[in-house]
C-alpha cells in the first residue's frame, strides 16, 4: 500500500494529534504517503483533503483537540453518503483509511469495509474509554486527570464550608471517567449509569457521617446516571445539609494530553499505519496491559465493555 488516508471523527480527545503524527510518520517510514481529511467523514464526503507530510504534523504532539478537526456526520450514516465518501477516497487513489475515534466512528469504518471492501484500520480515540478490545482509549487519562484536578480543588472549599458537592463528569452511556476520577479523588459516592443506586441511602450515609464529625462530601455523578442539579436538590431536601453542584462538561475534553495519552497515541497510531500498509484491514489496534494488540472491528463493536467489578467494590469500601 502506497497511499493512505486519515481522519479524526466523533468527540475530540486529547492525544488525537499525537496519533495523527504517528500515522503520518510511520507511513512515511514505510515509503507511503498520507492524505488527511478535515471534519471526519463529513470532510471526506465534501473532499476536504489535506496532504500530510512529516513537517505538517510537527509541533502538535502537546496540543489537545485535533488539527484535522472533528465532526459527527449525519450524511455518512446514509448509504448515499458512504457511497460518495468512497468515491472521494478512490479519486485520491487512497488504498486504505485510518479512523481515529470512538464507537460510532469505528462503526463507520467497518461499514466502509463491509459495504465497499475498502481497507480500514481503527484507532480508539475517546475520553469515555468505553471501547472493547483495548484497556485504554486515547484521551481517557487526560480527561480523568482534568476531572481530578477539579475534584481536588472543590474538596478544599467543600471542607472549609462543610458542604456537600455534587460534581457531574462526562459519560452519557457509561461511568468509566466517573469511577476512575471518583476513586482517585476520594469521592464519598460515585453514581454511574451501569449500577443502580439509592439516593436515600446516600443521604442516610451522609447523616451518619455527620454524627461522626464528617461534614463535607464529594459525590461524583456520570452525566448518564443523573443530573448534578437533581442530586443536589434531593440531598438538600433530605438531609438539610448545604449542597452545591458543578458540571465539568467539555473542559474534560480539552487540554494538553498527559504523557500516558501521548505515548499511547504514538504507539497505536504507528501500529495502525503499519498494519494497514501491510495489508491488514477491518481491525482496531489497542493495548492489553503493556502489549500492543489488534482485534477485528466486528468483535470490538459487538462486545460491550464492562466496568471493572474490583474497582466498584473498592469505591464502596473506600467511601465508608
Ligand atoms: O463521547 C465523548 C463525549 O465527550 C461524552 O462523554 C459526552 O457525553 C459527549 O461526548 C458530549 O458530546 P457533545 O460534544 O456532542 O456535546
Amino acid at each position: 500500500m502506497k497511499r493512505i488516508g486519515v481522519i479524526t471523527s466523533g468527540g475530540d480527545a486529547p492525544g488525537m494529534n499525537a496519533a495523527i503524527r504517528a500515522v503520518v510518520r510511520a507511513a512515511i517510514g514505510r515509503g507511503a504517503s498520507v492524505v488527511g481529511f478535515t471534519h471526519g467523514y463529513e470532510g471526506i464526503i465534501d473532499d476536504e483533503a489535506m496532504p500530510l507530510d512529516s513537517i505538517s504534523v510537527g509541533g502538535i504532539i502537546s496540543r489537545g483537540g485535533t488539527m484535522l478537526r472533528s465532526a459527527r456526520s449525519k450524511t455518512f450514516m446514509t448509504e448515499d453518503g458512504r457511497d460518495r465518501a468512497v468515491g472521494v477516497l478512490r479519486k485520491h487513489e487512497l488504498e486504505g483509511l485510518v479512523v481515529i475515534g470512538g464507537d460510532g466512528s469505528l462503526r463507520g469504518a467497518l461499514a466502509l469495509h463491509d459495504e465497499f471492501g475498502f481497507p480500514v484500520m481503527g484507532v480508539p480515540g475517546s475520553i469515555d474509554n468505553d471501547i472493547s478490545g483495548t484497556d485504554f482509549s486515547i484521551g481517557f487519562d487526560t480527561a480523568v486527570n482534568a476531572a481530578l484536578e477539579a475534584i481536588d480543588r472543590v474538596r478544599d472549599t467543600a471542607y472549609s464550608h462543610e458542604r456537600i458537592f455534587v460534581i457531574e463528569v462526562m459519560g452519557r452511556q457509561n461511568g468509566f471517567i466517573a469511577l476512575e476520577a471518583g476513586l482517585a479523588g476520594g469521592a464519598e459516592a460515585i453514581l454511574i449509569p451501569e449500577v443502580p443506586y439509592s439516593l436515600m441511602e446516600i443521604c442516610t450515609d451522609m447523616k451518619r457521617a455527620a454524627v461522626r464529625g464528617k461534614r463535607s462530601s464529594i459525590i461524583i455523578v456520570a452525566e448518564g446516571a443523573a443530573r448534578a442539579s437533581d442530586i443536589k436538590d434531593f440531598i438538600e431536601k433530605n438531609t438539610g445539609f448545604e449542597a452545591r453542584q458543578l458540571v465539568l462538561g467539555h473542559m474534560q475534553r480539552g487540554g494538553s494530553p498527559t504523557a500516558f495519552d501521548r505515548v499511547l497515541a504514538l504507539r497505536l497510531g504507528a501500529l495502525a499505519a503499519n498494519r494497514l500498509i501491510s495489508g491488514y484491514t477491518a481491525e482496531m489496534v489497542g493495548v492489553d496491559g503493556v502489549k500492543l494488540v489488534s482485534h477485528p472491528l466486528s468483535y470490538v463493536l459487538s462486545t460491550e465493555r464492562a466496568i471493572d467489578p474490583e474497582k466498584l467494590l473498592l469505591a464502596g469500601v473506600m467511601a465508608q
Side-chain angles (χ1 to χ4, degrees):
M1 213 174 262
K2 284 285 163 216
R3 227 168 129 70
I4 62 169
V6 61
I7 57 167
T8 48
S9 164
D12 63 332
M16 279 184 163
N17 277 326
I20 297 167
R21 179 177 181 265
V23 168
V24 171
R25 292 196 176 167
I28 291 170
R30 293 283 299 269
S33 58
V34 183
V35 174
F37 291 87
T38 50
H39 304 108
Y41 291 113
E42 195 73 24
I44 300 182
I45 295 166
D46 295 341
D47 199 359
E48 297 173 18
M50 182 183 182
L52 295 171
D53 60 12
S54 198
I55 301 284
S56 57
V57 293
I60 62 169
I61 193 166
S62 58
R63 277 170 37 203
T66 157
M67 67 168 285
L68 287 177
R69 317 290 170 90
S70 197
R72 293 187 169 103
S73 173
K74 288 211 167 71
T75 322
F76 188 76
M77 288 181 185
T78 66
E79 225 176 290
D80 175 59
R82 292 193 290 277
D83 200 54
R84 280 160 61 197
V86 170
V88 172
L89 292 171
R90 291 197 172 129
K91 184 188 101 180
H92 286 279
E93 297 178 344
L94 297 171
E95 297 162 274
L97 179 71
V98 175
V99 175
I100 306 166
D103 186 85
S105 309
L106 299 173
R107 279 182 203 283
L110 186 59
L112 283 182
H113 173 268
D114 288 353
E115 294 170 20
F116 303 91
F118 198 84
V120 292
M121 192 58 61
V123 176
S126 166
I127 64 163
D128 294 338
N129 208 33
D130 57 348
I131 306 166
S132 287
T134 184
D135 288 347
F136 294 101
S137 59
I138 297 165
F140 174 65
D141 186 63
T142 308
V144 166
N145 278 288
L148 181 60
E149 189 185 340
I151 295 168
D152 287 348
R153 284 170 185 260
V154 165
R155 189 174 283 289
D156 293 343
T157 176
Y159 174 84
S160 306
H161 283 268
E162 300 187 327
R163 283 172 176 159
I164 312 298
F165 266 86
V166 183
I167 304 180
E168 185 180 312
V169 299
M170 273 188 164
R172 265 197 296 240
Q173 326 279 347
N174 57 72
F176 293 98
I177 296 178
L179 184 57
E180 206 74 8
L183 272 172
E188 277 70 24
I190 303 170
L191 312 183
I192 59 176
E194 295 90 333
V195 180
Y197 56 87
S198 155
L199 277 184
M200 203 44 109
E201 257 174 48
I202 292 172
C203 288
T204 310
D205 288 348
M206 281 192 298
K207 285 195 263 184
R208 278 205 205 105
V211 174
R212 296 196 312 265
K214 183 175 171 54
R215 298 186 178 280
S216 68
S217 289
I218 304 271
I219 296 174
I220 303 297
V221 55
E223 62 181 331
R227 305 314 307 205
S229 54
D230 295 337
I231 309 268
K232 175 209 154 248
D233 291 347
F234 188 94
I235 289 172
E236 284 195 319
K237 195 163 151 239
N238 290 282
T239 62
F241 299 154
E242 202 182 350
R244 294 285 188 274
Q245 79 213 37
L246 176 66
V247 178
L248 296 185
H250 288 78
M251 63 80 73
Q252 293 159 98
R253 264 204 347 225
S256 184
T258 58
F260 180 89
D261 270 332
R262 294 184 200 190
V263 175
L264 176 72
L266 293 176
R267 295 176 78 203
L268 296 185
L271 180 65
N274 277 319
R275 285 187 77 78
L276 188 61
I277 289 167
S278 297
Y280 294 95
T281 180
E283 292 181 349
M284 185 198 78
V285 294
V287 279
D288 179 358
V290 292
K291 278 192 336 246
L292 290 173
V293 291
S294 195
H295 296 294
L297 273 170
S298 53
Y299 159 76
V300 167
L301 297 171
S302 60
T303 317
E304 200 146 309
R305 192 185 166 135
I307 285 278
D308 183 345
E310 180 262 328
K311 283 188 180 168
L312 265 184
L313 203 65
L314 185 64
V317 173
M318 290 299 127
Q320 290 177 91

